[in-house]
Amino acid sequence: MSCLSPHVPDRRQPGCENLAWFEPSDGARVRVLAWTCDCLAIVYELCHAGGQGFIRRTLQNEDAPEIRETHRWPIPQARDIWAALLTGMAR
C-alpha cells in the first residue's frame, strides 16, 4: 500500500531552519489545510486560524499524543515554512 500524503524527509538539509515549538493555543477554531502521512511517528499539519497560519506537530505516543505548534504567521509565510518543512529546510 502506498501513502497518499507527503512525508517530511528523514534528513535535514544544510542550512535547515529550526522552528520553535510551543504548547497549543486554546480557543481558536482551527482549519487544517494540509498534512503529512500518518504512517510515521510524527505528523505535521499546516493550520489556519484567525487569519493566520501555523504548523502543528503531533508525536503519536502510545499513551497520549504530544502536540506542539509554531507561532502564527501571515498565511503566505506559513505556506513558505510548510514548503521548507516538506523539503527538509525547516524542522
Side-chain angles (χ1 to χ4, degrees), residues 21-43:
W21 298 98
F22 306 97
E23 291 286 327
S25 299
D26 292 331
R29 287 180 42 174
V30 174
R31 186 164 146 203
V32 178
L33 303 174
W35 53 89
T36 61
C37 187
D38 65 356
C39 72
L40 300 175
I42 299 177
V43 176

Side-chain angles (χ1 to χ4, degrees), residues 5-8 21 32 34-47 55-61 65-69 82 85-86 91:
S5 298
H7 293 93
V8 172
W21 298 98
V32 178
W35 53 89
T36 61
C37 187
D38 65 356
C39 72
L40 300 175
I42 299 177
V43 176
Y44 295 92
E45 297 171 312
L46 174 60
C47 301
I55 297 172
R56 179 183 292 151
R57 178 185 73 190
T58 302
L59 175 59
Q60 302 182 85
N61 294 321
E66 180 183 317
I67 301 170
R68 298 288 182 264
E69 296 175 351
W82 178 253
L85 180 77
L86 294 180
R91 191 68 53 93

